[in-house]
Amino acid sequence: MKLKRYWIKTFGCQMNQADSERIALTLEKQGYQRAASIDQADLIVINSCIVRQSAENRVYGLIRNLSAQMSKCPNVQIVLTGCLAGWALRGQKKTNLERLRKRVGPQVTIKLTEDLIETKFLADLGCLQLEDDAQADWAKIPISQGCNQLCSYCIVPYARGPEVYRPAAEILTEVNRFLSQGYRQILLLGQTVNSWKGKGKVKTFAQLLALVAQLAPQATINFVSANPWDFSDQLIEVIAKHPNISRTIHLPVQSGDNEILRRMRRPYTVEEYLALVKKIKQSIPGVKITTDIIVGFPGEDKAAFERTVKLCRQVNFARAFIGKYSPRPGTIAAQLYPDEVPPQEKKRRWWILENLINRKGVDKN
Ligand code: 5AD
């Protein structure tokens, strides 16, 4: 019998990378072997991202290219999973799925990520590193799935559903497994990682993080993405107390203007964010803060953008992932506010922040 070979193409965030590793392991348990290249695969899994239109377009582009080649090899199977599949399958409206089916063609099977993984969270799961993984040295451990927050611009809650927390015991078992496999970098993952809640003795993310840090004194531990509103004093204390927890904290701010934050449904003000950063910097010497920012959100006039620039100067972020606002279908922002900042202006603002934060250039504006 001919050996079946698979290939996985992963788009987007670290959670998708972690999911792809788990899909790979499940496939190998079913007897598949990794193909040496995409054109040698019998099964191609596309793990998609739809956080912005540009990400979604890359998925369609890949499917178009593959479909053109596939006409010559009808036995190759393409499975589309990840957030595009989740969004279409979980959506209330059947039309989303029907439209997607039309768009990707009959040869593509659309499946939820969890349907491709043997069980949703598998305690004894190892880690199968994939070629396109820039963070191959990190043991990626999802501690939760989904998101309850409903930030107005964000499509992720519709694609991944509400928050589901993995039990502490299972997370700690997996940490141990990775340590025994030789991993020395542990990345705890969740769409809002510090919103994690436990049912037993370990109830908060701060408690969980302390246990992981104690279990792995020889490893570096990091976590993404944390949100400002669940960043408790206890969490700051735990980080301060354990030198093996990373001194770079990713804390998405999104905007430096209170009215924009309100429209984004981010439940904090600029003043609260700055106070949190101050507390973190005072408690954890040498800490670096990284962030996510959206430019050109509806209503962001020049003065509002200047307030974001001001906040960036105040915090002195070590790095920022800057995104141009992209209206996402079905989100609150897409329904309430027209996408009014012109593309050229979004680009201009993007460059100002990119130069200021990531290139540390002199910003003349
Ligand atoms: N447009 C632009 N950027 C977005 N992000 C999420 N949704 C959108 C959108 N509709 C960004 C946010 C988030 C990161 C993962 O992607 O900054 O923190």
Side-chain angles (χ1 to χ4, degrees):
M1 204 187 86
K2 190 178 167 286
L3 202 68
K4 291 235 173 195
R5 295 182 193 274
Y6 72 91
W7 183 265
I8 304 185
K9 172 70 191 168
T10 310
F11 292 93
C13 65
Q14 288 140 314
M15 191 59 109
N16 265 11
Q17 283 287 354
D19 287 341
S20 287
E21 290 171 3
R22 278 147 218 265
I23 294 167
L25 199 73
T26 307
L27 290 174
E28 298 210 356
K29 281 188 181 169
Q30 292 170 5
Y32 279 87
Q33 246 187 31
R34 198 172 324 176
S37 63
I38 194 164
D39 43 274
Q40 287 176 30
D42 306 289
L43 169 66
I44 299 169
V45 178
I46 303 171
N47 196 355
S48 59
C49 170
I50 50 168
V51 76
R52 282 177 281 270
Q53 187 65 52
S54 51
E56 189 175 334
N57 290 347
R58 278 196 284 278
V59 177
Y60 296 132
L62 175 64
I63 292 176
R64 247 194 325 273
N65 285 345
L66 289 174
S67 302
Q69 295 164 31
M70 288 311 128
S71 52
K72 287 172 247 152
C73 19
N75 294 330
V76 176
Q77 209 197 336
I78 303 174
V79 176
L80 172 63
T81 193
C83 285
L84 182 54
W87 175 79
L89 290 167
R90 272 189 245 268
Q92 302 290 317
K93 287 190 264 165
K94 261 200 176 146
T95 45
N96 290 350
L97 185 57
E98 281 158 13
R99 272 204 205 124
L100 182 61
R101 281 226 165 95
K102 261 197 200 145
R103 183 139 202 196
V104 300
Q107 207 174 347
V108 178
T109 311
I110 303 167
K111 280 203 164 191
L112 286 177
T113 304
E114 52 260 43
D115 292 341
L116 294 177
I117 300 177
E118 214 164 52
T119 63
K120 198 157 188 214
F121 295 126
L122 210 64
D124 70 341
L125 213 57
C127 187
L128 265 184
Q129 298 301 352
L130 297 164
E131 286 76 5
D132 55 353
D133 184 356
Q135 286 187 303
D137 296 340
W138 286 86
K140 298 175 208 68
I141 307 184
I143 67 164
S144 61
Q145 288 281 5
C147 186
N148 292 346
Q149 194 55 39
L150 291 184
C151 298
S152 67
Y153 50 80
C154 190
I155 200 165
V156 171
Y158 307 93
R160 286 185 171 265
E163 283 166 32
V164 179
Y165 311 115
R166 194 174 181 191
E170 208 177 289
I171 296 166
L172 296 173
T173 305
E174 203 171 280
V175 170
N176 265 330
R177 264 190 61 97
F178 280 124
L179 290 174
S180 64
Q181 286 175 2
Y183 281 90
R184 290 294 172 264
Q185 286 170 300
I186 291 169
L187 184 60
L188 303 179
L189 287 170
Q191 239 68 46
T192 64
V193 71
N194 54 333
S195 305
W196 181 90
K197 286 175 196 66
K199 281 202 176 114
K201 264 203 217 149
V202 190
K203 289 208 161 33
T204 65
F205 178 68
Q207 290 169 330
L208 178 73
L209 186 63
L211 286 178
V212 173
Q214 282 151 26
L215 199 64
Q218 69 281 55
T220 303
I221 296 137
N222 208 345
F223 52 90
V224 283
S225 265
N227 64 62
W229 55 92
D230 279 324
F231 219 102
S232 64
D233 289 352
Q234 291 87 323
L235 179 52
I236 299 174
E237 269 169 43
V238 166
I239 301 168
K241 198 173 144 195
H242 296 90
N244 56 334
I245 299 175
S246 169
R247 264 45 191 154
T248 300
I249 296 176
H250 190 61
L251 200 60
V253 66
Q254 310 298 358
S255 168
D257 179 81
N258 281 334
E259 172 56 17
I260 298 297
L261 287 173
R262 190 192 65 76
R263 285 184 164 211
M264 287 178 163
R265 296 196 168 205
R266 302 283 291 178
Y268 53 86
T269 61
V270 170
E271 293 71 27
E272 285 164 347
Y273 185 88
L274 289 173
L276 174 62
V277 167
K278 192 172 167 195
K279 207 162 31 171
I280 292 174
K281 285 186 175 175
Q282 276 171 353
S283 312
I284 309 166
V287 74
K288 289 185 176 145
I289 310 281
T290 59
T291 202
D292 291 350
I293 299 171
I294 297 175
V295 294
F297 187 84
E300 187 188 68
D301 57 14
K302 290 195 175 168
F305 175 67
E306 279 312 315
R307 286 189 273 277
T308 298
V309 174
K310 185 176 165 207
L311 174 131
C312 292
R313 288 190 205 281
Q314 281 171 295
V315 177
N316 189 21
F317 292 114
R319 201 178 155 72
F321 297 90
I322 308 154
K324 301 180 201 108
Y325 173 67
S326 166
R328 305 283 53 220
T331 58
I332 300 162
Q335 288 170 45
L336 288 184
Y337 313 117
D339 180 20
E340 63 193 10
V341 179
Q344 275 307 319
E345 181 58 19
K346 285 181 187 167
K347 201 170 168 185
R348 193 186 73 87
R349 294 179 194 178
W350 188 92
W351 270 111
I352 290 173
L353 295 184
E354 176 70 13
N355 280 331
L356 176 68
I357 303 166
N358 295 329
R359 303 179 191 217
K360 298 283 177 225
V362 186
D363 172 29
K364 297 189 187 75
N365 284 280

